[in-house]
Amino acid sequence: QDYVLIKMEVTLPFPSKFKVLEGRNVFLVAATLRPETMYGQTNCWVLPEGKYGAFEINDTDIFILTQRSALNLAYQKLSRVPEKPTCLLELSGLDLIGLQLNSPLAFNEVIYALPMLTILTDKGTGIVTSVPSDSPDDYMALKDLKSKEGLRSKFGVKDEWVLPFDVIPIINIPEFGDKAAEKVCHDLKIKSQNDKEKLAEAKRLTYLKGFTDGKMLVGEFKGKKVQEAKPLIKNKLLETGKAVAYSEPEKKVMSRSG
Ligand code: ZZB
């Protein structure tokens, strides 16, 4: 699977736990297959009990992601020491919640790292960027956090990291309108982010229709079809250094190489 890794820059000042990283450019790095949706980011997702690390990519850049993805990146020439990830700081998802981020193309100038309970640690980087207009999982997880005060207090999430962030229409799909994920979640009567079977169906539908029938409502390629805009936006992100390409090895290959 070929992902685009989005470099979401952690803004200054860093929280005290991150002081050893001062002087570097520090990024939470999210794997996505939908670079054309980056305009609509409202937050970033981390797994509260997930294990992450801050890894040296080169002399200036630090990526926060899972150990597993840092190793894969090292084999893809993205590590300061060739083929060896160097971890400067071990972190848990709880350490990341509330980090303030500046993410490429996002209309929101700052977004926050928030808890999502269904993140898989053996996929991508274990960090996910959230686009609730076009991703049913993101829509439901944001809805859960907004509507459940208990969920926010459980993870120390401040109201101002969540409540001001609304769904931003970025793509029109004739069948689903300008907020496809909201419409599909509503039509399938999805109750929460834990409604996994229905969410898988919602994701399948939104992917399919988004790709075949979607049209950009915003950005440099406004009016173009999603199919056309996707590679153009991907290349732009890669050329400007705001993202890097990442291939996920097959599961079998991974277990053989340890
Ligand atoms: C932004 C985005 C916008 C995404 C969208 C989807 C959609 P796939 O096909 O199963 O590989 N993702 C990435 N890593 C993880 C993880 N570790 N755990 C859970 N989810 C993860 O799915 C790739 C997508 O799954 C990625 O693309 C990411 O969310 C999420 F409008 O990034 B996406 C209809 C989907 N729309």
Side-chain angles (χ1 to χ4, degrees):
Q1 193 64 274
D2 285 327
Y3 290 101
V4 176
L5 297 193
I6 302 295
K7 295 165 66 177
M8 319 175 86
E9 185 154 22
V10 181
T11 63
L12 296 168
F14 294 155
S16 53
K17 178 133 193 180
F18 294 73
K19 288 287 187 248
V20 295
L21 306 178
E22 247 162 37
R24 317 277 195 117
N25 306 320
V26 181
F27 304 90
L28 292 201
V29 177
T32 185
L33 296 173
R34 303 286 313 267
E36 74 282 5
T37 65
M38 295 300 103
Y39 302 103
Q41 296 171 87
T42 56
N43 62 283
C44 159
W45 299 119
V46 300
L47 184 70
E49 66 269 32
K51 284 195 181 127
Y52 299 92
F55 294 91
E56 285 187 303
I57 298 303
N58 52 41
D59 290 333
T60 55
D61 287 4
I62 304 286
F63 283 9
I64 296 178
L65 29 64
T66 55
Q67 162 81 37
R68 177 192 153 280
S69 55
L71 184 59
N72 288 333
L73 279 176
Y75 287 127
Q76 295 173 34
K77 301 203 186 320
L78 284 166
S79 57
R80 191 180 60 79
V81 182
E83 304 199 347
K84 191 182 167 301
T86 333
C87 181
L88 297 185
L89 180 62
E90 290 185 8
L91 295 160
S92 81
L94 289 172
D95 296 320
L96 305 179
I97 291 173
L99 281 182
Q100 191 178 303
L101 307 166
N102 183 272
S103 193
L105 299 183
F107 289 135
N108 284 309
E109 268 167 44
V110 300
I111 57 176
Y112 295 89
L114 302 175
M116 181 190 243
L117 307 175
T118 58
I119 290 186
L120 308 165
T121 47
D122 61 351
K123 171 174 167 171
T125 57
I127 307 271
V128 179
T129 190
S130 171
V131 186
S133 54
D134 290 84
S135 162
D137 291 288
D138 299 345
Y139 176 77
M140 288 312 302
L142 187 63
K143 190 171 185 222
D144 284 349
L145 267 186
K146 279 194 179 197
S147 62
K148 297 170 184 168
E149 203 277 319
L151 193 59
R152 296 201 295 279
S153 60
K154 177 169 179 191
F155 294 110
V157 172
K158 293 192 181 155
D159 290 0
E160 62 262 34
W161 302 343
V162 180
L163 302 183
F165 295 90
D166 293 322
V167 175
I168 304 172
I170 53 166
I171 287 169
N172 174 268
I173 304 176
E175 203 170 319
F176 299 143
D178 292 352
K179 298 178 183 176
E182 180 181 78
K183 161 106 172 99
V184 173
C185 288
H186 181 264
D187 288 356
L188 296 182
K189 300 189 167 61
I190 298 176
K191 295 276 167 351
S192 84
Q193 65 187 296
N194 300 314
D195 214 342
K196 291 201 181 148
E197 273 174 33
K198 283 188 181 175
L199 274 169
E201 173 62 4
K203 182 172 171 180
R204 191 188 66 80
L205 276 174
T206 348
Y207 256 133
L208 185 73
K209 295 284 173 188
F211 188 70
T212 55
D213 305 340
K215 246 195 194 159
M216 300 302 300
L217 291 171
V218 298
E220 191 179 345
F221 305 105
K222 183 173 167 174
K224 277 205 190 303
K225 291 172 136 191
V226 164
Q227 293 177 48
E228 292 165 349
K230 187 192 282 283
L232 299 173
I233 295 173
K234 173 178 174 174
N235 289 340
K236 191 118 196 176
L237 285 165
L238 297 177
E239 280 163 13
T240 54
K242 292 181 185 306
V244 298
Y246 173 70
S247 322
E248 186 100 305
E250 299 278 331
K251 288 258 154 63
K252 274 183 210 145
V253 175
M254 270 172 22
S255 55
R256 250 191 279 139
S257 65

